[in-house]
């Protein structure tokens, strides 16, 4: 289990089985696409592809289907990567009934954007703006005008850089946190409980 090769094989096997379950749940029905791209830690351009669909019970599901490496972010390259991924799972653009992207020109362009490129092949693939991204941009813009928020972001960033650069510091930080949590438990400031998936900590109501 400590071998990187074995770990990658396990992760790959989990990915294959998870993707298979998603496709079976989709059952060849219509779906919407949510796509966004960004750099990973190795500075490679990655595109996350999420499917929205309604399952057999009538619930709206949102599932990450894959993260794909793309050579560039022009609309034609993004579309090609999406089509290739859908082909792997016996899906096509004709099943797409919705598109959701951020406001980048390569996504929302009215002539050569990804939105229009897909809509030419599937007229029912209506597009909406990724409003969560708008909220993020709003929060960033507002926070930049608040000196205290800016100072907090810099402080947290510095702490993460200092801790992340040393395993010894991380271990010492974890131990100190355990001691503080245990002290809070002994004083009755924290209560323990069991959630749906993992152990959680919660403050007592004041």
């Amino acid at each position: 289990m400590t071998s990187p090769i074995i770990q990658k094989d396990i992760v790959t096997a989990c990915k294959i089985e998870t993707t298979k379950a998603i496709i079976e749940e989709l059952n060849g029905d219509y779906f919407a696409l949510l796509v966004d791209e960004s750099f990973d830690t190795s500075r490679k351009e990655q595109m996350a592809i999420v499917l929205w669909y309604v399952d057999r019970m009538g619930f709206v599901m949102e599932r990450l289907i894959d993260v794909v490496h793309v050579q560039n972010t022009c609309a034609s390259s993004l579309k090609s990567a999406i089509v290739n991924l859908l082909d792997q799972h016996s899906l096509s653009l004709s099943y797409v009934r919705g598109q959701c992207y951020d406001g980048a020109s390569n996504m929302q362009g009215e002539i050569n954007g990804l939105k229009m490129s897909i809509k030419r092949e599937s007229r029912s693939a209506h597009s909406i703006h990724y409003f969560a991204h708008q909220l993020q941009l709003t929060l960033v813009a507002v926070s930049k005008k608040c000196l205290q928020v800016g100072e907090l972001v810099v402080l947290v960033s510095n702490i993460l850089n200092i801790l992340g650069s040393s395993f010894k510091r991380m271990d010492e930080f974890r131990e100190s946190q355990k001691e503080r949590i245990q002290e809070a438990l002994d004083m009755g400031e924290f209560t323990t409980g069991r959630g749906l998936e993992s152990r959680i900590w919660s403050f007592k109501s004041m």
Side-chain angles (χ1 to χ4, degrees):
M1 292 297 290
T2 59
S3 168
I5 297 177
I6 295 177
Q7 291 174 354
K8 289 181 180 179
D9 288 342
I10 293 174
V11 171
T12 300
C14 291
K15 172 190 171 182
I16 292 173
E17 292 302 316
T18 301
T19 304
K20 186 188 299 183
I22 293 172
I23 299 303
E24 289 177 356
E25 187 178 53
L26 181 59
N27 196 29
D29 207 345
Y30 301 123
F31 58 89
L33 283 172
L34 189 156
V35 178
D36 197 10
E37 82 280 352
S38 63
F39 286 111
D40 64 6
T41 55
S42 64
R43 306 303 295 171
K44 289 184 178 180
E45 191 71 35
Q46 303 282 358
M47 177 173 62
I49 302 176
V50 174
L51 301 185
W52 282 344
Y53 57 92
V54 178
D55 67 7
R56 296 181 180 90
M57 301 296 293
F59 294 102
V60 177
M61 310 303 293
E62 180 177 317
R63 303 296 191 199
L64 173 67
I65 194 71
D66 208 343
V67 178
V68 182
H69 172 60
V70 289
Q71 295 295 331
N72 59 69
T73 59
C74 68
S76 59
S77 294
L78 298 181
K79 179 186 174 183
S80 177
I82 292 173
V83 170
N84 289 338
L85 178 63
L86 295 180
D87 284 343
Q88 293 175 19
H89 303 296
S90 301
L91 299 173
S92 72
L93 293 180
S94 62
Y95 290 94
V96 178
R97 290 297 180 268
Q99 306 177 71
C100 188
Y101 315 120
D102 61 20
S105 59
N106 62 333
M107 296 291 197
Q108 298 285 359
E110 293 297 332
I111 298 177
N112 295 318
L114 177 62
K115 173 184 71 175
M116 293 305 299
S117 180
I118 291 180
K119 196 163 186 177
R120 291 189 189 101
E121 297 192 30
S122 179
R123 293 186 178 182
S124 299
H126 302 287
S127 175
I128 61 172
H129 193 280
Y130 184 30
F131 289 104
H133 185 261
Q134 286 185 327
L135 176 61
Q136 176 189 2
L137 295 178
T138 301
L139 291 174
V140 170
V142 172
S143 64
K144 285 182 178 179
K145 297 181 180 180
C146 180
L147 180 61
Q148 291 83 355
V149 172
E151 292 175 346
L152 175 62
V153 171
V154 172
L155 176 61
V156 172
S157 177
N158 290 337
I159 292 174
L160 291 175
N161 288 335
I162 291 173
L163 291 176
S165 62
S166 169
F167 291 113
K168 182 178 179 180
R169 294 193 193 105
M170 286 296 297
D171 290 337
E172 292 175 349
F173 176 73
R174 291 191 185 99
E175 289 301 320
S176 67
Q177 286 298 100
K178 288 180 181 178
E179 293 175 0
R180 293 182 62 182
I181 290 174
Q182 188 59 52
E183 290 176 2
L185 285 170
D186 294 340
M187 296 176 63
E189 295 178 356
F190 284 172
T191 58
T192 60
R194 184 168 297 278
L196 295 177
E197 298 178 352
S198 61
R199 189 181 181 102
I200 61 171
W201 304 97
S202 62
F203 282 106
K204 277 187 173 180
S205 57
M206 301 300 291

